[in-house]
Amino acid sequence: MDRFRMIFQYFQSNSESVMNGICGLLALASIKIYTCFDFSCPCLHRYNMAYGLGILFVPPVAFFLCGLILNRQSLVMLDEWRRPQGCRRKDPAVIRYMCSSIMQRAMVAPAVWIVVALLDGKCLICAFSSSVDPEKFPGFTNATAEQAQELLAKVPCKEDELVGSSTSRRAVSRYLRCWSQALGWSILLMLIIAAFLARWLRPCFNQAALLQTRHWSNYIDIEQKIFEETCCEHSRLFAHKCILHFFESMREEIRQHSFDLPKEEEEDLLRGITHQDQVNKLLKTWYYEKPPLDVSQATQRHHLGRERPPPWTGSPHVQSKFPQHTNV
Amino acid sequence: MDKFRMIFQFLQSNQESFMNGICGIMALASAQLYSAFDFNCPCLPRYNLAYGLGVLLVPPLILFLLGFVLNNNVSMLAEEWRRPRGRRGKDGAVLRYMFCSMAQRAMIAPAVWVSVTLLDGKCITCAFCTSLPVGALGNASHPRLSQEEMKRVLARIPCKEIYDGQELVANEVAVRYLRCISQALGWCFMLLMTTLAFLVRSLRPCFTQAAFLKSRYWSHYIDIERKLFDETCTEHARSFAKVCIQQFFQGMSTDMETAHCHLPKKNPTDDGEASEKLLGITDQGTMNTALKSWHRCKPPLHLHPDAPSRGNGWTGEGQFPLKPPPEPPAPRKEMAAYYSRV
């Protein structure tokens, strides 16, 4: 239990680690989706390239957008970017830092998809089998240009009867797969070198400014979170008070209409409502006439018919009198 | 237990994260449902299109409606929409916000179903096999068939074991072609959905952030207020029931005293608390009478905090009245009855 709680708290405490977690999950999801996806090359001359390159590039775009959507910090960054200046200056360095960190995290899942697709080889074999030079492979030298293209287009389909058992088909397939894997490993190496350089060379350039921007970007993120939590807490307290005052007003009304002497008990959990009719009236009033969103004048509330403007319409009267409840 | 409580508290604390959890579960459920579903193309000319498109489009509609049903906030939205104005104004922006956020969450499971179906390819293969471009894919030297005959042959493409048009169009070629189209549609659909989601999420802070913050606050407020009101009512009902039942037992006890004309024996010294809890009922017969009376003649929903307890079922009143009953004239001795505060 303790270990689980510690892990949970660790992930929750630091928003960066939450985002790293999401980034990792998306990368795993992209690998899983690639392995579950049933790649089936059409093996037709004009369709192969569109299909192969489509599978190589369209899912990464979707994963990139998913990475941006799932990252909470992107909303924080947009909010900071678009807000009016007001009383607080805007620092473009902070916005740039947040933007770059969001983009870096969002690019992990697409990069994983592309690398896995290239290392697997099927996409490139499908896309470029028709573009291979038929002169290089003995099985295709005898055919005319169109026939060669037809045959080459069928290379990715092992079960096709025309080229299924041909050794030239296997040769073309191996050739393209070799290129694909070489490309995949090169891209992987380049990405890792780029990440390595970025991480190691960064302290050499303007470390102080980097510390500042990182601090303030964390600050903005934490401030946003705490604001949301405070609003939730506030609305809970507001609701609690509103309901208590509603019950009080019901009790007052009952007292006015009944001739019993009020029994003041210290801990009156029944709040003076002790009759089925009174309960029904309370519930009906709750539906038909919800109390106004104004808990500051609870003790002076008398007549039920008085209508108050709700604070969310932002009327100047309410704004001036109850500043703590408006402009949320 | 602690772990579950923590997870539960985390999910409950934030209403949005709870809804996200339900949304994720429904998306997984829809993917699982598709893989469990046994797709059986009819392989008949007119039925293929109906079956294929039906499997593609009808379950998403069901999942969308289910997303609304499983969302607790639907009743809250309906209540807020239909309630009379009363003393509190209604804000259209809050209602729109609530509806939009519910609709967005409800659309995830259908989108997952449509994506998985298109990427799998069976539905489109089944639905559009009769529209295959035979001229481009087929064998040009094959003798031409009539339209009806062609459709009949092509309709059997999804069913490999009964396909008899291998000379016309090879089955593998046709299936690969249709599947390629289906998967392209699937990926385009996924890209479209993610682009839309991205635009919706990122354009909002650029334009209407202040109004959004307001709507979000008040929609959370309405939800919290409803929950707190329910909790307060439950607490009230508990106290009401407790007092009602205590008064019932006191009534029984008083009736027993009246019937047997003796004061209840009280042991103030030893187990005073225990004997108080017995509420004056100390033998089997009295207990049976109390139970019978509780069943036959429940006490009225009317608590009397400062009046002496009166009989409840001993006089055989019958059904409890919906309106406050007039005081039943009880021809009994005035007694200084023991009154216990609850």
Side-chain angles (χ1 to χ4, degrees), chain A residues 1 4-5 8 12 33 37-44 47 51 55 58-59 61-63 65-66 68-72 74-75 78-79 81-82 113 154 157 159-161 224 227-228 231-232 234-236 238-240 242-244 246-247 249 260-261 263 265-266 269-277 279 282-283 286-293 301 303-308 310-314 325 328, chain B residues 1-3 6-7 10 13-14 79-80 82-91 94 119-120 133 136-137 166 170 172-173 175-177 179-181 183-184 187-188 190-191 193-195 197-198 201-207 209-210 213-218 220-222 224-233 235-237 239-241 243 301-306 320-325 339 341-342:
Chain A
M1 293 317 135
F4 183 79
R5 196 189 328 201
F8 201 61
Q12 285 285 303
I33 291 176
F37 176 62
D38 190 9
F39 188 93
S40 94
C41 192
C43 293
L44 297 165
Y47 292 76
Y51 185 83
I55 298 291
V58 167
V61 175
F63 281 118
L65 293 175
C66 268
L68 291 179
I69 291 167
L70 292 176
N71 196 342
R72 226 189 105 262
S74 57
L75 284 179
L78 277 173
D79 190 24
W81 180 39
R82 300 295 301 172
W113 175 278
K154 290 197 192 300
C157 299
E159 66 278 357
D160 193 276
E161 65 260 8
Q224 174 88 324
F227 180 73
E228 284 172 14
C231 281
C232 273
H234 183 269
S235 66
R236 176 175 288 273
F238 199 117
H240 189 62
C242 199
I243 290 167
L244 283 181
F246 176 73
F247 274 84
S249 71
D260 298 337
L261 286 171
K263 195 130 173 68
E265 296 166 4
E266 312 77 34
L269 291 171
L270 289 172
R271 297 188 173 91
I273 292 159
T274 54
H275 193 282
Q276 185 186 17
D277 273 6
V279 172
L282 180 142
L283 295 171
W286 180 255
Y287 176 68
Y288 280 104
E289 286 183 19
K290 274 214 167 65
L293 291 165
R301 197 184 304 167
H303 183 44
L304 281 178
R306 196 168 62 179
E307 169 136 358
R308 291 187 164 278
W312 54 45
T313 54
H325 295 308
V328 280
Chain B
M1 221 19 78
D2 208 15
K3 187 170 70 172
M6 225 170 60
I7 294 176
F10 169 68
S13 65
N14 192 355
E79 193 185 307
E80 177 65 17
R82 299 298 302 164
R83 71 169 171 92
R85 209 183 145 89
R87 299 158 71 201
R88 184 190 289 186
K90 281 207 274 195
D91 191 2
V94 174
L119 290 179
D120 188 38
L137 301 174
Q166 198 69 9
E172 298 82 23
V173 171
V175 165
R176 275 198 307 259
Y177 176 80
R179 195 174 226 190
C180 151
I181 304 272
Q183 287 179 344
W187 284 116
C188 290
M190 265 182 68
L191 187 64
M193 288 285 119
T194 43
T195 309
F198 173 73
R201 217 166 139 90
S202 60
L203 290 183
R204 196 232 314 129
C206 299
F207 296 110
Q209 183 70 351
L213 286 175
K214 217 165 69 162
S215 310
R216 192 173 67 174
Y217 179 87
W218 290 114
H220 284 174
Y221 172 81
I222 291 170
I224 287 174
E225 189 189 49
R226 193 172 80 138
K227 284 195 186 91
L228 278 178
F229 183 74
D230 287 342
E231 276 173 29
T232 313
C233 283
E235 203 181 284
H236 186 271
S239 308
F240 199 115
V243 174
L301 290 167
H302 190 157
L303 306 179
H304 301 277
D306 52 357
F320 78 89
L322 294 176
K323 290 206 173 297
Y339 165 65
R341 271 180 43 172
V342 287

Side-chain angles (χ1 to χ4, degrees), chain A residues 76-77 79-96 98 212-213 216-217 219-220 223:
Chain A
V76 172
M77 182 209 73
D79 190 24
E80 176 66 15
W81 180 39
R82 300 295 301 172
R83 69 171 174 90
Q85 177 131 339
C87 305
R88 187 191 285 188
R89 274 183 310 111
K90 284 206 277 195
D91 189 357
V94 171
I95 297 174
R96 274 197 305 269
M98 286 168 82
Q212 279 179 8
T213 47
W216 289 114
S217 86
Y219 171 80
I220 292 170
E223 191 188 48

